[in-house]
Amino acid sequence: MFRLITGIPGPSGFGSASTAEQVTQGIDASNLTAIVTGGASGIGFETARVLALRKAHVVIAARNVEAANEARQNIVKENGTARVDVLKLDLCSIKSIKAFADDFYALGLPLNILINNAGVMFCPYQLSQDGIEMQFATNHLGHFYLTNLLLDKMKHTANSTGIEGRIVNLSSVAHVHTYRGGIRFDRINDKDSYSDKKAYGQSKLANILHANELSRRLQQLKWDLKHVALLLLILHLKYVSNFCYGQEEGANITVNSVHPGLIMTNLMRHSALLMRVLQAFTFILWKNVPQGAATTCYVALHPSLQGVTGKYFLDCNEFPPSKLARDKALAKRLWDFSDKLVNAAAQN
């Protein structure tokens, strides 16, 4: 709390007062391609702007294409050499997510960085186009499906370029305020007991659990391939062994989650009055947008995090999330539950 209030840097050399530009100073991302969901406004826009400033090729994925194109124009106006594309993505629609992935593959671009930034917050009870509670559907399930669709592209890019891929899930400290047990698997759509605050916390907990479980699976893949390759090497099957070592690089992807901090953005439109009252009494804890995008940009680009995976970051420093967020069994159960929901929705 002291560091948060004072802005004193942590072990990384950065802190709550650091901005996205400061934490990426001197980094050349010209050989990287990044997708930023919700990159048309707020900290998503600042993230896209700074990645483009560091010469990354940025794809803004947004529901409002008009706003996204305006964001692109603003970035290019400031930085004439910026490479920015816009694709439509509605995370509360499985059909739209699949269409986005197809559109991205059609561009023929590599994919080094996926920033799952978009979301909704404290919205009244409603269901997504696929009949799933809106905050869970948009904040977690949509990004879960999107990530799965893009994972082969990220593996191929990491394998062919030798550059580590990075996936960043935007979570929140609100993940500590959720329903009993963390995730309401048996009552995900229950209207009578719906709490807009706890539903948001549930979705943000899901973001961390998703990152942790995907990280575990990718690490397990690397571990399994190493053992297969070693066994084949022992058996003197050199050609196949070399093939497996090459395939191992396909899992050279890290997955982490971040809390951006308290920032007044359009995300809070469903509770603007409450947030402004809260801000009045806790103003010293709030960040501006450039500060809010700092942790995302740090985790996405900073070379010091090479190989760091399955971690949660706050103010550009690793920080322990809640006990539920560290529950491996809960993470696996959420993965299986999410997979079933996506498959069911995709068949409709």
Side-chain angles (χ1 to χ4, degrees), residues 94-95 98 130 145 340-348:
I94 293 298
K95 183 178 179 181
K98 179 62 167 61
D130 302 298
Y145 185 45
K340 288 180 181 178
L341 286 179
V342 164
N343 288 335
Q347 292 174 4
N348 291 337

Side-chain angles (χ1 to χ4, degrees), residues 4-205:
L4 174 62
I5 295 173
T6 62
I8 293 176
S12 70
F14 304 110
S16 62
S18 301
T19 66
E21 286 196 26
Q22 289 171 342
V23 303
T24 59
Q25 186 66 43
I27 295 176
D28 180 2
S30 58
N31 58 345
L32 304 178
T33 300
I35 291 175
V36 182
T37 69
S41 63
I43 59 176
F45 170 74
E46 179 67 3
T47 299
R49 186 189 71 82
V50 172
L51 291 182
L53 182 65
R54 302 304 174 219
K55 302 181 182 179
H57 188 161
V58 178
V59 177
I60 295 177
R63 181 174 55 184
N64 187 335
V65 175
E66 183 179 349
N69 278 318
E70 184 178 344
R72 177 189 176 279
Q73 290 172 6
N74 289 334
I75 293 173
V76 173
K77 184 177 179 180
E78 175 190 292
N79 175 12
T81 62
R83 295 174 293 161
V84 183
D85 289 309
V86 170
L87 291 177
K88 183 176 177 60
L89 171 66
D90 186 349
L91 285 163
C92 70
S93 165
I94 293 298
K95 183 178 179 181
S96 175
I97 297 167
K98 179 62 167 61
F100 169 86
D102 290 342
D103 290 343
F104 178 76
Y105 274 89
L107 293 177
L109 295 172
L111 182 59
N112 306 94
I113 300 168
L114 173 60
I115 298 179
N116 291 321
N117 165 83
V120 294
M121 181 180 186
F122 299 166
C123 57
Y125 179 85
Q126 55 185 305
L127 299 180
S128 71
Q129 294 182 29
D130 302 298
I132 301 164
E133 188 274 308
M134 184 64 77
Q135 295 194 78
F136 186 81
T138 304
N139 297 350
H140 164 63
L141 198 65
H143 283 126
F144 173 85
Y145 185 45
L146 176 68
T147 302
N148 282 354
L149 291 176
L150 297 174
L151 198 54
D152 281 344
K153 170 64 76 172
M154 294 196 71
K155 288 179 180 179
H156 175 74
T157 300
N159 184 35
S160 61
T161 64
I163 300 173
E164 176 185 87
R166 296 189 182 185
I167 299 172
V168 184
N169 280 2
L170 265 76
S171 180
S172 168
V173 69
H175 79 272
V176 304
H177 182 62
T178 182
Y179 297 107
R180 179 175 296 181
I183 309 293
R184 300 201 304 178
F185 295 105
D186 300 324
R187 294 188 298 160
I188 201 68
N189 287 343
D190 189 68
K191 184 176 181 180
D192 293 336
S193 59
Y194 178 77
S195 161
D196 58 350
K197 309 301 185 296
K198 289 183 179 180
Y200 179 71
Q202 174 182 245
S203 71
K204 294 292 100 178
L205 171 63

Side-chain angles (χ1 to χ4, degrees), residues 274-321:
L274 173 63
M275 290 298 103
R276 292 201 178 279
V277 171
L278 178 63
Q279 186 181 35
F281 287 96
T282 60
F283 67 92
I284 200 169
L285 303 178
W286 290 67
K287 295 181 178 182
N288 57 39
V289 170
Q291 292 169 337
T295 304
T296 302
C297 291
Y298 172 73
V299 175
L301 287 184
H302 207 277
S304 67
L305 295 186
Q306 182 80 20
V308 176
T309 189
K311 304 299 182 182
Y312 174 69
F313 290 83
L314 181 154
D315 296 336
C316 301
N317 287 275
E318 189 179 328
F319 192 83

